[in-house]
Amino acid sequence: MEFVEKELKAWGEILVTTSGGQHFEIHLGDTEFDYENRVIRLKAPNAHHVIEGDSIETITKHYGHKDD
């Protein structure tokens, strides 16, 4: 979980995949790291997600792009 926060702070926006296969795009402005409960809280436009912080298996850094 600490590594996820470090990478997010360095890049600003990352894609994470959990051990259960869920994918999330997290940003500095909408993500909170709760170390006491070991969860990552993501506020998305359509829902608030609580992600088990130690379940992150992959981190993908990507570049911004124009949607077509």
Side-chain angles (χ1 to χ4, degrees), residues 3-59:
F3 185 72
V4 175
E5 183 176 27
K6 178 184 172 202
E7 292 298 300
L8 179 60
K9 285 181 175 178
W11 200 254
E13 174 183 335
I14 57 176
L15 304 172
V16 296
T17 304
T18 67
S19 57
Q22 291 185 300
H23 305 283
F24 296 93
E25 180 175 314
I26 62 176
H27 309 91
L28 283 174
D30 58 20
T31 305
E32 172 191 326
F33 291 83
D34 177 349
Y35 286 101
E36 184 176 325
N37 295 301
R38 303 298 296 168
V39 296
I40 300 169
R41 299 181 192 280
L42 169 62
K43 294 179 184 173
N46 61 346
H48 288 204
H49 302 277
V50 180
I51 306 162
E52 205 281 290
D54 296 317
S55 74
I56 304 298
E57 287 194 342
T58 64
I59 296 172

